[in-house]
Structure formats: structure tokens, C-alpha cells
């Protein structure tokens, strides 16, 4: 993946690039294009992969804390 991303980064800018030759190139190109559009998550992923780091899985979202409900009960 590192080599595929570096390969895409070194390509000259072309608004209509040729189709990717395989899925690896397609994925690498998609990440590079997203980073070029100022997607900071994609840019961070590129830099991490170039450094040889494996991206960590996203932590599960914390469960929503219950909201307190107050009501008054009246007998008819």
C-alpha cells in the first residue's frame, strides 16, 4: 500500500488520469484524491502509511448517557 500511495503521489497532475490497472491502485488513488481535496483524515492516513504505521481501527463510540426525565404524577 505504501508503494502504491507513493506511486500515485509522484504522478503528474492530470484532471483525467488513465484508469487504474488494479484495485490497489484504485484504492491508493482514491485516498490521494481525497487528501488533495483537503480531507484531513485521508491526508493523515497517507502520512501514516508512508511512515510505515498501520492505521488503528476507530474506537467504538461511547454509549449515549441516559437523559434525566422529571415528571409529576397526579391522581385523577
Amino acid at each position: 500500500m505504501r508503494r502504491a500511495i507513493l506511486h500515485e503521489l509522484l504522478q503528474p497532475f492530470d484532471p483525467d488520469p488513465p484508469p487504474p490497472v488494479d484495485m490497489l491502485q484504485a484504492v491508493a488513488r482514491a485516498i490521494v484524491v481525497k487528501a488533495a481535496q483537503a480531507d484531513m483524515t485521508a491526508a493523515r492516513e497517507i502520512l501514516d502509511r508512508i511512515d510505515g504505521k498501520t492505521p488503528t481501527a476507530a474506537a467504538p463510540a461511547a454509549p449515549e448517557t441516559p437523559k434525566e426525565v422529571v415528571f409529576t404524577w397526579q391522581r385523577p
Side-chain angles (χ1 to χ4, degrees):
M1 187 64 178
R2 179 178 185 268
R3 281 186 279 176
I5 289 173
L6 285 172
H7 174 77
E8 289 303 314
L9 288 171
L10 294 172
Q11 296 305 307
F13 178 75
D14 185 4
D16 277 333
V21 295
D22 56 21
M23 288 303 290
L24 180 61
Q25 186 179 27
V27 170
R29 186 175 292 170
I31 293 170
V32 170
V33 167
K34 284 180 70 175
Q37 295 169 346
D39 181 337
M40 289 299 109
T41 304
R44 187 175 305 121
E45 183 175 344
I46 286 176
L47 295 173
D48 285 348
R49 288 185 183 270
I50 289 173
D51 283 345
K53 299 176 189 172
T54 303
T56 57
E64 188 175 322
T65 57
K67 307 240 185 304
E68 185 177 326
V69 177
V70 178
F71 61 93
T72 305
W73 182 267
Q74 296 178 356
R75 291 188 164 208

